[in-house]
């Protein structure tokens, strides 16, 4: 059976990829296809699927700043959307009950409200994978969508805990001591190195310290993984840890999507109900847009975040599964919910892929907020009179900035992806703002580069400099561009792609070292 599952998953994922769809759509369809031929899910697949979701939430936590959740647009936005969507979906389902539609007619008001609640969630797994594939996890709309999803996950965990009547053990209060142990966690992360021990550290903290500890005290295991990830998010190796777990997490998530298809046996009644549920998707998307737009985000940010959340959620299935076990929901409704979740992924995938194109077509008739009223997180960027943009304010970018100030005065604007580093530069008197130069959203927010004569691509990764170069060229930048590289082949690629000058950081550092030594020591060399 395992060989059949692997073959079907690979074939379906490959076909979806060639159709410009995310592979997860193929995995879902493979699950339904296998189900039709009599295959069902088993304990191994369920276990691997659960591991995938746990590692996913852990890696989300690694990238999540707790301050993000505390911002009103996240906690208030998620709460308002959840309440409004549950109320509207309940009203729509009550109408179907009055019309005598299938299994819904036999449900009471409490059960219908529960179904509306289950349909109000959006998929964390789908949204994160979609954002990762587009490279827009750090975009303003991406962080906004992820923050809302994390709040929804917290709502779901609270509901699951309350509905089962299983309250945490009294000693769960000891979990409040976890933040006090952060220095110990940091020291351990410092000591594990960069190879297989780093991967094992991540698995241990996600599954044992996080999920295991929370489950031990009677709380949801996934919530533990998320919180442990958030505790480690401030460490300098958090990003490296997340990348080291990426392929393992992706492999387990294949089982998650297969399991959805394998667990639901489609029936005509279930399919008909699923199609009715899908009519609620536009309402959900519109509510997201209206709520986010009310917090004064740009139309682009509100629209792209709404599209990322334009689906039903695997957490809705978990809520539905619990309701089915407790006799609150019929089997037809659960099958319909599983089909609606799956089909919403199939619908959402191409819509998200064309998100920027949809924005370009719709921004003419969607009213934008005045620039001075925009949310602080989405403010437009005005380079002012800066003649030089330095993308990446690490050691090389900082050195270039200081040298330009020494020779020409304050003509530069530095762009640094880390907010704390940008603040540190500003405290030292440098003109530096926070921004991700590899993010298309960042370039959309820049008002005018007419005064900019030179851009220095000084980011530490070649791919980052390549992406920034593409963004500049897409916006018809007319000034000169210079870039750093580690290797000769990278320099050749940058020059071929249009930079005016490329510099090898090692040879330039060596030349600078020799020149500085000779200037300071002035050795009395004799020419041969």
């Amino acid at each position: 059976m395992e060989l059949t599952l692997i073959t079907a998953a690979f074939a379906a994922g490959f076909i979806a990829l060639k159709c410009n769809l995310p592979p997860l759509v193929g995995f879902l369809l493979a699950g339904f296809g296998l189900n039709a031929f009599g295959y069902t899910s088993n304990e191994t697949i369920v276990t691997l699927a659960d591991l995938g979701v746990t590692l996913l939430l852990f890696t989300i936590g690694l990238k999540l700043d707790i301050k993000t959740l505390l911002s009103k647009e996240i906690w208030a936005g998620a709460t308002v959307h959840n309440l409004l969507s549950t109320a509207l979906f309940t009203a729509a389902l009550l109408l179907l009950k009055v019309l005598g539609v299938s299994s819904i007619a036999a449900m009471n008001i409490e059960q219908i409200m529960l179904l509306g609640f289950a349909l109000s969630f959006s998929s964390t797994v789908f949204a994160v994978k979609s954002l990762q594939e587009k490279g827009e996890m750090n975009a303003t709309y991406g962080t906004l969508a992820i923050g809302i999803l994390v709040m929804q996950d917290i709502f779901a965990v609270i509901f699951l805990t309350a509905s089962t009547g299983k309250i945490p053990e009294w000693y769960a209060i000891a979990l409040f001591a976890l933040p006090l142990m952060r220095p110990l966690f940091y020291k351990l992360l410092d000591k594990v190195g960069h190879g297989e021990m780093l991967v094992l550290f991540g698995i241990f903290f996600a599954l044992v310290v996080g999920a295991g500890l929370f489950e031990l005290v009677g709380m949801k295991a996934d919530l533990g993984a998320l919180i442990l990830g958030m505790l480690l998010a401030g460490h300098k190796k958090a990003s490296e840890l997340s990348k080291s777990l990426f392929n393992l997490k992706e492999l387990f998530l294949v089982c998650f999507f297969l399991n959805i298809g394998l667990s639901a046996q489609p029936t005509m009644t279930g399919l008909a109900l699923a199609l009715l549920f899908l009519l609620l998707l536009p309402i959900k998307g519109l509510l997201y847009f209206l709520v986010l737009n009310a917090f004064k985000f740009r139309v682009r940010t509100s629209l792209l975040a709404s599209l990322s959340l334009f689906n039903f959620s695997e957490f809705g299935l978990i809520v539905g599964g619990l309701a089915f076990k407790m006799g609150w929901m019929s089997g037809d409704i659960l099958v319909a919910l599983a089909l609606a979740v799956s089909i919403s992924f199939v619908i959402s995938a191409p819509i998200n892929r064309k998100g920027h194109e949809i924005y370009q077509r719709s921004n003419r008739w969607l009213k934008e907020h005045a620039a001075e009223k925009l949310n602080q997180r989405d403010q437009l960027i005005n380079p002012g009179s800066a003649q030089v943009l330095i993308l990446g304010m690490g050691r090389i970018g900082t050195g270039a900035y200081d040298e330009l100030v020494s020779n020409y005065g304050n003509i530069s604007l530095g762009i640094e992806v880390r907010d704390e580093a940008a603040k540190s530069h500003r405290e030292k008197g440098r003109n530096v703002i926070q921004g991700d130069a590899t993010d298309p959203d960042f370039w959309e927010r820049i008002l005018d580069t007419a005064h900019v004569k030179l851009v220095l691509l000084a980011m530490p990764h070649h791919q980052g400099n390549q992406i920034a170069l593409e963004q500049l060229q897409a916006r018809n930048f007319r000034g000169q561009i210079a870039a750093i590289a580690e290797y000769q082949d990278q320099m050749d690629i940058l020059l071929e792609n249009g930079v005016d000058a490329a510099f090898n950081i090692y040879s330039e550092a060596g030349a600078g070292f020799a020149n500085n030594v000779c200037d300071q020591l002035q050795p009395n060399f004799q020419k041969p």
Side-chain angles (χ1 to χ4, degrees), residues 391-430:
L391 308 182
M393 287 296 290
R395 285 175 292 180
I396 295 173
T398 301
Y401 184 100
D402 292 341
E403 186 68 16
L404 287 166
V405 168
S406 176
N407 292 331
Y408 303 101
N410 294 317
I411 64 168
S412 303
L413 172 64
I415 312 295
E416 170 56 47
V417 68
R418 296 166 300 165
D419 191 36
E420 65 277 7
K423 288 178 182 176
S424 176
H425 281 299
R426 288 195 293 271
E427 288 168 0
K428 294 173 183 175
R430 298 188 183 101

Side-chain angles (χ1 to χ4, degrees), residues 130-152:
S130 177
L131 290 167
Q132 284 176 339
E133 286 168 3
K134 293 188 291 184
E136 296 180 357
M137 280 285 287
N138 293 323
T140 303
Y141 86 88
T143 57
L144 196 58
I146 295 300
I148 288 173
L149 288 166
V150 170
M151 286 301 303
Q152 289 185 354

Side-chain angles (χ1 to χ4, degrees), residues 153 289 510:
D153 290 349
F289 180 83

Side-chain angles (χ1 to χ4, degrees), residues 104-160:
I104 296 177
M107 298 175 74
N108 60 37
I109 181 66
E110 290 83 4
Q111 293 168 342
I112 287 177
M113 287 179 66
L114 176 60
L115 180 56
F117 178 69
L119 291 169
S120 71
F121 292 102
S122 296
S123 172
T124 302
V125 177
F126 181 91
V128 171
K129 282 185 65 64
S130 177
L131 290 167
Q132 284 176 339
E133 286 168 3
K134 293 188 291 184
E136 296 180 357
M137 280 285 287
N138 293 323
T140 303
Y141 86 88
T143 57
L144 196 58
I146 295 300
I148 288 173
L149 288 166
V150 170
M151 286 301 303
Q152 289 185 354
D153 290 349
I154 293 172
F155 296 157
V157 168
I158 293 171
F159 167 78
L160 291 171

Side-chain angles (χ1 to χ4, degrees), residues 160-435:
L160 291 171
T161 302
S163 61
T164 54
K166 182 182 177 183
I167 61 173
E169 304 292 345
W170 65 267
Y171 44 81
I173 195 171
L175 295 177
F176 287 103
L178 282 175
L180 302 177
M181 299 181 69
R182 183 185 289 183
L184 177 62
F185 297 158
Y186 277 22
K187 284 183 181 179
L188 189 57
L189 185 50
D190 283 329
K191 301 289 185 184
V192 295
H194 302 277
E196 64 274 13
M197 282 303 296
L198 182 64
V199 178
L200 194 56
F201 172 90
I203 295 171
F204 173 74
F205 263 71
L207 304 182
V208 179
V209 181
L213 193 60
F214 271 62
E215 199 163 28
L216 185 67
V217 300
M219 297 185 69
K220 197 80 170 61
D222 293 342
L223 180 62
L226 176 68
I227 288 176
L228 258 292
M230 291 168 65
L231 286 177
L232 296 172
H235 195 279
K236 60 186 178 182
K237 287 172 69 176
S239 177
E240 182 185 354
L241 177 58
S242 177
K243 289 174 184 175
S244 72
L245 294 170
F246 181 80
N247 289 330
L248 188 63
K249 173 198 70 180
E250 295 291 289
L251 186 60
F252 288 156
L253 286 175
V254 172
C255 294
F256 172 82
F257 291 109
L258 273 176
N259 186 56
I260 290 178
L262 287 168
S263 300
Q265 185 174 4
T267 61
M268 290 307 296
T269 301
L271 180 60
L273 283 172
L275 294 175
L276 288 174
F277 293 163
L278 288 168
L279 295 177
L280 301 174
L281 262 184
I283 298 174
K284 172 183 273 196
L286 179 61
L287 283 175
Y288 275 125
F289 180 83
L290 293 175
V291 169
L292 294 175
N293 199 245
F295 284 102
K296 308 297 182 184
F297 283 99
R298 288 180 301 136
V299 164
R300 180 183 186 275
T301 300
S302 301
L303 180 62
L304 293 181
S306 300
L307 294 180
S308 297
L309 301 168
F310 189 75
N311 48 63
F312 294 127
S313 170
E314 61 281 354
F315 261 119
L317 278 179
I318 295 171
V319 170
L322 174 66
F324 176 70
K325 279 184 186 177
M326 302 188 113
W328 300 341
M329 191 177 288
S330 69
D332 281 344
I333 298 292
L334 184 60
V335 169
L337 199 54
L339 288 170
V341 170
S342 305
I343 298 170
S344 75
F345 290 174
V346 176
I347 293 171
S348 189
I351 289 176
N352 271 274
R353 187 167 53 83
K354 293 182 176 292
H356 295 286
E357 185 180 327
I358 292 171
Y359 164 69
Q360 293 295 338
R361 292 184 177 182
S362 61
N363 70 337
R364 300 169 193 168
W365 46 271
L366 289 173
K367 186 179 179 182
E368 190 64 89
H369 295 291
E372 64 275 8
K373 293 183 179 180
L374 286 172
N375 189 289
Q376 186 64 37
R377 294 177 60 185
D378 214 20
Q379 288 283 333
L380 300 177
I381 299 168
N382 186 358
S385 59
Q387 299 177 57
V388 181
L389 287 184
I390 302 176
L391 308 182
M393 287 296 290
R395 285 175 292 180
I396 295 173
T398 301
Y401 184 100
D402 292 341
E403 186 68 16
L404 287 166
V405 168
S406 176
N407 292 331
Y408 303 101
N410 294 317
I411 64 168
S412 303
L413 172 64
I415 312 295
E416 170 56 47
V417 68
R418 296 166 300 165
D419 191 36
E420 65 277 7
K423 288 178 182 176
S424 176
H425 281 299
R426 288 195 293 271
E427 288 168 0
K428 294 173 183 175
R430 298 188 183 101
N431 182 24
V432 178
I433 62 172
Q434 188 275 331

